[in-house]
């Protein structure tokens, strides 16, 4: 029964039924608000699960392991290779289902654990063993961690340590002393030992050998000046340093002026007899400044004023609490894994999870060239602890001065945690391009309205300087639910001594200097949870259709039609380089729909020029089998946490982690917890403009995560930074805005003004 109710002033009639409906609506709004608040609190509660190990935790793990007599651990920097020591320590992630109990239900977080890599060199059969140590911060247990398939880790595949480098320097002292006269004459007075301002240094090449179990390294000498990477002197030597007794290390090959020699003695004999042409580099003078950042040449830019700067007129609009970040509806946790680098976890928009994990896995640079060092160079950067190569960021250059700077701590090849000051930054920036805008003309010299929204994004950034190259790692979070994952490459090119045949493999960039061609490939793990864990995957392409024109039957219509393909198994969702790649790759939840009946989804959009670096199955390519695919989709497994390892660099032939095994079983991927493995990259043929340093424009690649029917409309309509201008009755512009009229004295004291007329003059 419905009763009529009148307002006190005799106004609008409201029924009891309508009142109940309104009450229910208010309750739903309240529940939604409470739910969003609860989701936020649970996300904040769970974020520390993903935080990097603290200094206290690192020290506690070190002390615990050193206190186990049977391990016999000694200091990592003790000058011997026949020792047992900690090589790496980093967070061991919780299992996903355990983490989700904390993130989605607010339950207790699983105990924190550490992954520890120990090199056991002081025993009959040296080995590398990994342990999971827990609970933190007061560990009392440890267990052996194995790789998928229980693959063993060869001792020879370990990353090179500072102590091993000291022994390499010792043998180089002996080598260069023997050939001192040759080097002195070649370089115009440079030497490796007993030098002051005319010293030589070296670069070591990896992988270290031609097959598993080897540890043989090509080393090339360079002038020790700023930017020594592009100062090769034309002397390269192959050292066998497999034995743990450095006194047993040997020289296996020497390269000088395009000729190979079996020993130093053979080289010297032929050098003195004139059987080999002597190289004489130009005299070292101010012209060698070509590798420095010192300005030179004419500039038309005024130097008495600074360029544009970012400001926050009323303060920052994002919040950082430990490793938990919130901004414009976004929330996420982050860490910088010492072995591989930047990772984002529990990525949510308006409280709804989009991705459980987006993480950098590996970065490689495979080279080509005419010298042995060049043709052997295949850098696989996790093998150099890429994540721990995150160094201090410069305010105003690497990040805006207004950024929040964060210290990072790493434990790699050390005896105590190492603090990397200001090695990560977080900031909001304007892109100086509208997120969206429209000018609506009245076609009479005026307008009906103008609407626009400035495009501001939150940036999470760190860098890795892996020897010569600098990688800038970015996550950009947009107001419209889009995430951009991006890497920009800069730093010095990897250069070798110029030979005429070298022009097949690069460009001459200076006297006796060849910039060697190479391909950069970057691999990411993208664990999407679109409206839940049960997701499916499809691709979309266009095909032409031809049909009779319904309003003119004597003619035909030819147009594009959407063609969808659902991929049901892992093999069908592994796309090979060299094959046609779909226009759209779409991850969706088949059980959840938006207001318009579409399955809620996100798609991955590539910004990449990547291609394969080696033929499938060719020697070192086995270690980077992920590089066969721009995109591969697998079912989530905790045992498939990473696509690479720190051991791949020095044993790519029989790698401890083989990504190909992840898709070999060809599992069902319909309505499952899915992981996208994304490969991006570019070819770099060095050129003279790479001197002194490779610049970032044109050398940035990555991908976007873009909502595809995930929302009912563009979520950025919630932004109060929108500005709408309409002509008033008096002809004057009427500005509608939801933020302060005056931006602030650091930008402009003038209020916003807009006049949309375009009259003749």
């Amino acid at each position: 029964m419905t009763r009529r109710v009148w307002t006190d002033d005799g106004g609008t009639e409201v029924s009891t039924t309508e009142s109940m409906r309104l009450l229910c609506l208010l309750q739903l709004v309240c529940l939604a608000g409470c739910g969003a608040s609860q989701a936020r609190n649970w996300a904040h509660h769970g974020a520390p699960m993903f935080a990097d190990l603290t200094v206290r935790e690192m020290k506690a793990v070190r002390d615990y392991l050193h206190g186990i007599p049977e391990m016999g651990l000694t200091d990592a920097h003790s000058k011997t290779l026949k020792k047992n020591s900690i090589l790496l320590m980093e967070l061991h992630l919780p299992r996903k289902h355990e983490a989700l109990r904390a993130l989605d239900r607010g339950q207790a977080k699983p105990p924190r654990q550490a992954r520890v890599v120990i090199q056991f060199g002081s025993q009959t059969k040296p080995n590398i063993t990994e342990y999971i140590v827990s609970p933190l911060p007061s560990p009392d247990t440890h267990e052996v961690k194995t790789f998928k398939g229980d693959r063993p880790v060869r001792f020879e595949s370990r990353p090179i340590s500072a102590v091993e480098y000291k022994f390499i320097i010792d043998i180089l002292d002996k080598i260069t002393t023997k050939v001192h006269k040759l080097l002195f004459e070649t370089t115009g007075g440079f030497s490796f030992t007993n030098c002051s301002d005319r010293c030589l240094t070296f670069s070591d090449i990896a992988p270290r050998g031609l097959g598993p179990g080897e540890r043989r390294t090509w080393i090339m000498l360079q002038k020790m000046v700023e930017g020594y990477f592009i100062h090769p002197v034309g002397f390269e030597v192959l050292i066998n340093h497999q034995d743990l007794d450095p006194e047993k290390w040997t020289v296996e090959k020497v390269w000088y002026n395009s000729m190979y020699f079996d020993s130093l003695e053979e080289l010297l004999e032929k050098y003195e007899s004139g059987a080999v042409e002597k190289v004489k580099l130009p005299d070292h003078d101010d012209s060698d400044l070509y590798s420095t950042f010192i300005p030179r040449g004419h500039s038309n830019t005024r130097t008495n004023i600074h360029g544009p700067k970012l400001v926050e007129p009323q303060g920052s609009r994002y919040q950082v609490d430990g490793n938990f970040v919130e901004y414009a509806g976004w929330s996420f946790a982050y860490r910088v894994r010492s072995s591989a680098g930047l990772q984002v976890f529990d990525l949510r928009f308006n409280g709804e999870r989009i991705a459980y994990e987006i993480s950098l896995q590996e970065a490689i640079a495979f080279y080509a060239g005419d010298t042995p060092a060049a043709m052997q160079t295949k850098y696989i950067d996790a093998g150099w602890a890429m994540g721990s190569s995150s160094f201090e960021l410069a305010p105003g250059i690497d990040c805006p001065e207004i950024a929040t700077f964060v210290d990072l701590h790493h434990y790699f090849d050390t005896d105590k945690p190492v603090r990397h000051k200001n090695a990560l930054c977080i900031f909001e920036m304007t892109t100086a391009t509208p997120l969206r805008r429209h000018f609506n003309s009245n076609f009479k010299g005026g307008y009906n309205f103008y609407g626009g929204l400035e495009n501001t994004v939150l940036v999470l950034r760190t860098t890795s300087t892996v020897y010569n190259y600098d990688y800038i790692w970015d996550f950009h979070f947009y107001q419209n639910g889009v995430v951009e994952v991006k890497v920009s490459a800069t730093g010095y090119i990897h250069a070798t001594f110029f030979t005429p045949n070298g022009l097949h493999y690069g460009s001459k960039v200076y006297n006796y200097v060849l910039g060697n061609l190479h391909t950069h490939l970057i691999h990411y793990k993208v664990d999407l949870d679109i409206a839940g864990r049960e997701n499916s995957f499809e691709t979309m392409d266009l095909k032409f259709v031809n049909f009779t024109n319904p309003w003119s039957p004597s003619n035909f219509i030819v147009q594009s039609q959407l063609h969808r393909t659902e991929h049901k198994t892992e093999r069908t969702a592994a796309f090979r380089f060299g094959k046609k790649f779909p226009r759209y790759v779409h991850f969706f939840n088949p059980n959840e729909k938006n207001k318009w009946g579409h399955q809620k989804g996100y798609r991955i959009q590539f910004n990449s020029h990547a291609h394969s670096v080696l033929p499938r199955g060719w020697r070192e390519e086995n270690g980077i089998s992920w590089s066969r695919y721009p995109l591969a989709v697998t079912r989530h497994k905790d045992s498939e946490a990473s696509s690479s390892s720190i051991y791949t660099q020095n044993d790519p032939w029989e790698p401890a982690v083989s990504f190909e095994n992840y898709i070999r079983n060809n599992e069902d991927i319909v309505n499952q917890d899915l992981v996208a493995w994304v490969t991006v990259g570019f070819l770099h043929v060095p050129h003279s403009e790479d001197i002194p340093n490779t610049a970032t424009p044109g050398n940035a690649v990555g991908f976007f995560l873009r909502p595809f029917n995930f929302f009912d409309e563009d979520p950025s309509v919630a932004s109060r930074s929108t500005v709408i201008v309409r002509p008033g009755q008096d002809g004057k512009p009427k500005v509608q805005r939801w933020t302060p009229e005056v931006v602030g004295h650091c930008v402009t004291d003038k209020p916003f003004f807009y006049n949309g007329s375009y009259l003749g003059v």
Side-chain angles (χ1 to χ4, degrees):
M1 176 178 175
T2 300
R3 290 190 299 122
R4 300 286 178 179
V5 180
W6 294 86
T7 61
D8 290 340
D9 59 0
T12 305
E13 182 184 24
V14 181
S15 71
T16 304
T17 302
E18 289 169 337
S19 297
M20 292 299 294
R21 286 174 181 168
L22 182 61
L23 181 61
C24 289
L25 180 61
L26 289 172
Q27 288 176 333
L28 287 172
V29 170
C30 180
L31 286 172
C34 293
S37 175
Q38 188 178 60
R40 184 267 172 199
N41 291 337
W42 288 347
H44 181 264
H45 160 73
M49 292 186 295
F50 308 110
D52 286 310
L53 297 179
T54 65
V55 170
R56 177 190 172 192
E57 288 172 330
M58 290 178 181
K59 290 182 176 179
V61 171
R62 177 199 61 193
D63 293 345
Y64 167 72
L65 292 174
H66 274 260
I68 300 174
E70 54 267 30
M71 284 198 177
L73 297 182
T74 61
D75 291 345
H77 286 174
S78 58
K79 198 172 180 182
T80 177
L81 299 178
K82 296 180 179 180
K83 66 186 176 196
N84 303 341
S85 62
I86 296 173
L87 177 67
L88 171 71
M89 186 190 305
E90 62 185 15
L91 176 73
H92 178 65
L93 290 172
R95 293 182 177 89
K96 183 175 180 179
H97 72 275
E98 294 176 344
L100 290 179
R101 284 201 288 263
L103 295 170
D104 294 345
R105 304 178 199 169
Q107 295 182 6
K109 298 184 289 289
R112 280 170 62 80
Q113 299 177 313
R115 171 203 176 204
V116 184
V117 178
I118 297 182
Q119 43 189 7
F120 289 99
S122 179
Q123 51 194 60
T124 306
K125 190 174 182 180
N127 70 81
I128 295 287
T129 304
E130 296 197 3
Y131 293 94
I132 305 303
V133 180
S134 63
L136 304 182
S138 303
D140 56 20
T141 62
H142 62 281
E143 61 182 60
V144 174
K145 177 185 180 296
T146 58
F147 289 95
K148 188 178 177 73
D150 292 328
R151 286 174 174 262
V153 178
R154 285 189 176 85
F155 196 66
E156 292 80 9
S157 69
R158 70 193 185 279
I160 200 163
S161 66
V163 170
E164 192 167 4
Y165 272 126
K166 290 178 182 177
F167 287 122
I168 287 176
I169 291 172
D170 289 344
I171 192 172
L172 283 176
D173 283 345
K174 299 174 183 176
I175 291 169
T176 54
T177 298
K178 281 188 178 181
V179 295
H180 173 78
K181 181 173 180 286
L182 178 151
L183 293 173
F184 198 84
E185 292 177 351
T186 297
T187 61
F190 281 72
S191 60
F192 194 80
T193 57
N194 300 320
C195 55
S196 53
D197 61 342
R198 289 183 168 243
C199 295
L200 295 174
T201 186
F202 71 95
S203 291
D204 57 313
I205 307 303
R208 305 179 191 281
L210 299 173
E214 295 185 8
R215 204 162 175 86
R216 302 185 297 152
T217 299
W218 275 102
I219 289 175
M220 62 176 176
L221 298 187
Q222 301 144 321
K223 291 181 179 179
M224 183 57 178
V225 297
E226 284 188 15
Y228 59 84
F229 311 102
I230 51 177
H231 286 270
V233 302
F235 181 90
E236 300 177 4
V237 58
L238 177 62
I239 297 174
N240 187 327
H241 54 114
Q242 181 176 356
D243 201 288
L244 296 183
D245 181 359
E247 294 299 320
K248 297 179 180 178
W249 292 2
T250 58
V251 173
E252 293 192 349
K253 219 76 172 174
V254 184
W255 183 91
Y256 176 79
N257 196 14
S258 298
M259 295 181 64
Y260 289 88
F261 306 90
D262 291 328
S263 65
L264 295 170
E265 290 74 18
E266 181 190 1
L267 167 61
L268 289 174
E269 178 187 341
K270 292 184 177 179
Y271 181 85
E272 295 296 343
S273 67
V276 57
E277 182 180 350
K278 297 182 179 181
V279 175
K280 179 65 172 72
L281 299 180
D283 290 337
H284 182 78
D285 54 28
D286 289 343
S287 67
D288 283 319
L289 292 175
Y290 72 87
S291 61
T292 75
F293 277 73
I294 298 172
R296 47 197 181 270
H298 176 70
S299 173
N300 291 313
T301 304
R302 292 174 61 184
T303 58
N304 60 333
I305 58 173
H306 282 286
K309 296 289 184 180
L310 276 179
V311 296
E312 293 174 327
Q314 284 86 34
S316 61
R317 303 193 297 179
Y318 61 91
Q319 293 81 42
V320 180
D321 184 4
N323 72 319
F324 183 67
V325 182
E326 295 175 282
Y327 167 77
W330 290 107
S331 71
F332 59 88
Y334 73 85
R335 70 180 282 221
V336 179
R337 184 180 169 205
S338 296
S339 53
L342 189 58
Q343 301 180 315
V344 163
F345 293 92
D346 193 30
L347 176 64
R348 306 186 189 206
F349 192 84
N350 291 336
E352 193 168 10
R353 183 176 302 110
I354 292 167
Y356 176 77
E357 175 185 354
I358 308 175
S359 59
L360 175 62
Q361 296 292 305
E362 186 61 273
I364 68 171
F366 276 37
Y367 287 76
D370 189 46
T371 78
M375 61 184 72
Q376 180 67 7
T377 303
K378 298 172 181 66
Y379 288 138
I380 305 173
D381 289 339
W384 306 77
M386 174 170 60
S388 69
S389 300
S390 51
F391 301 105
E392 185 173 0
L393 300 168
I397 302 172
D398 296 322
C399 309
E401 291 90 343
I402 61 169
T404 298
F405 289 85
V406 179
D407 294 349
L408 300 176
H409 295 87
H410 297 290
Y411 200 109
F412 174 72
D413 191 26
T414 181
D415 291 311
K416 59 183 178 180
V418 178
R419 175 191 177 203
H420 292 236
K421 182 178 174 60
N422 295 344
L424 179 141
C425 69
I426 303 168
F427 59 92
E428 185 183 9
M429 72 172 186
T430 173
T431 65
T433 302
L435 182 66
R436 44 190 170 80
R437 57 97 67 189
H438 179 65
F439 175 84
N440 193 254
S441 172
N442 66 3
F443 303 104
K444 299 176 183 178
Y447 64 105
N448 298 314
F449 77 92
Y450 165 84
L453 173 61
E454 64 178 328
N455 190 10
T456 56
V457 300
L458 185 76
V459 180
L460 173 69
R461 173 176 295 169
T462 187
T463 62
S464 295
T465 300
V466 191
Y467 192 58
N468 57 304
Y469 254 104
D470 294 65
Y471 294 105
I472 303 169
W473 309 106
D474 280 358
F475 282 80
H476 292 190
F477 302 92
Y478 292 82
Q479 301 172 74
N480 62 337
V482 171
V483 182
E484 181 182 5
V485 183
K486 178 180 175 183
V487 55
S488 303
T490 178
Y492 285 95
I493 58 174
H494 179 59
T496 56
F497 196 73
F498 177 79
T499 66
N501 197 45
L503 291 174
H504 294 294
Y505 308 104
S507 304
K508 185 177 183 178
V509 294
Y510 210 75
N511 292 325
Y512 295 98
V513 183
L514 181 80
N516 296 81
L517 72 85
H518 54 283
T519 296
H520 293 277
L521 293 181
I522 316 295
H523 203 225
Y524 289 94
K525 177 183 181 181
V526 185
D527 182 354
L528 293 166
D529 284 355
I530 307 299
R533 295 182 69 179
E534 293 75 30
N535 291 173
S536 294
F537 171 68
E538 68 175 359
T539 57
M540 301 184 200
D541 272 302
L542 298 179
K543 65 178 182 179
F544 291 119
V545 292
N546 185 337
F547 56 89
T548 301
N549 189 327
W551 50 269
S552 180
S554 62
N555 293 287
F556 293 90
I557 296 291
V558 175
Q559 62 183 18
S560 295
Q561 184 180 78
L562 195 59
H563 179 67
R564 298 172 183 261
T565 302
E566 184 174 3
H567 296 264
K568 298 185 177 182
T569 62
E570 291 174 327
R571 273 294 179 196
T572 65
F575 301 91
R576 295 290 304 275
F577 277 115
K579 301 292 180 68
K580 182 183 177 183
F581 193 74
R583 300 278 193 94
Y584 275 33
V585 290
H586 178 218
F587 295 82
F588 63 96
N589 190 317
N591 312 303
E592 297 289 336
K593 295 182 179 180
N594 71 359
K595 181 178 180 180
W596 314 112
H598 296 292
Q599 292 161 329
K600 300 180 74 169
Y602 259 73
R603 69 185 183 94
I604 298 177
Q605 178 177 310
F606 284 70
N607 172 29
S608 173
H609 316 286
H611 209 280
S612 301
V613 293
L614 285 174
R616 181 186 177 105
W618 176 258
R619 298 170 69 95
E620 295 88 359
E621 194 270 349
N622 289 308
I624 54 165
S625 55
W626 53 263
S627 70
R628 300 167 185 171
Y629 312 101
L631 174 68
V633 181
T634 66
R635 284 173 63 169
H636 174 272
K637 290 182 179 178
D638 289 312
S639 61
E640 297 175 352
S642 302
S643 61
S644 190
S645 79
I646 60 173
Y647 314 110
T648 306
Q649 174 66 93
N650 294 326
D651 189 0
W653 310 281
E654 295 179 0
V657 175
S658 175
F659 177 76
E660 191 67 27
N661 288 339
Y662 294 3
I663 59 178
R664 187 161 283 148
N665 54 2
N666 199 28
E667 289 186 292
D668 169 41
I669 58 170
V670 176
N671 208 17
Q672 300 290 341
D673 188 357
L674 302 183
V675 177
W677 302 88
V678 176
T679 303
V680 296
F682 63 96
L683 168 67
H684 186 187
V685 181
H687 43 88
S688 54
E689 293 81 8
D690 283 311
I691 301 299
N693 217 238
T694 295
T696 54
N699 290 319
V701 295
F703 61 94
F704 292 85
L705 288 178
R706 300 183 58 183
F708 193 78
N709 295 316
F710 186 84
F711 304 101
D712 296 335
E713 62 180 349
D714 183 342
S716 70
V717 295
S719 173
R720 277 19 182 198
S721 295
T722 298
V723 174
I724 303 171
V725 185
R726 301 181 181 92
Q729 294 295 327
D730 56 1
K732 295 181 180 179
K734 301 297 181 183
V735 180
Q736 189 176 13
R737 65 182 306 150
W738 292 263
T739 53
E741 183 179 9
V742 176
V743 178
H745 70 277
C746 290
V747 181
T748 177
D749 289 324
K750 298 178 181 179
F752 177 86
F753 177 77
Y754 187 87
N755 185 336
S757 63
Y758 53 103
L759 301 175
V761 294

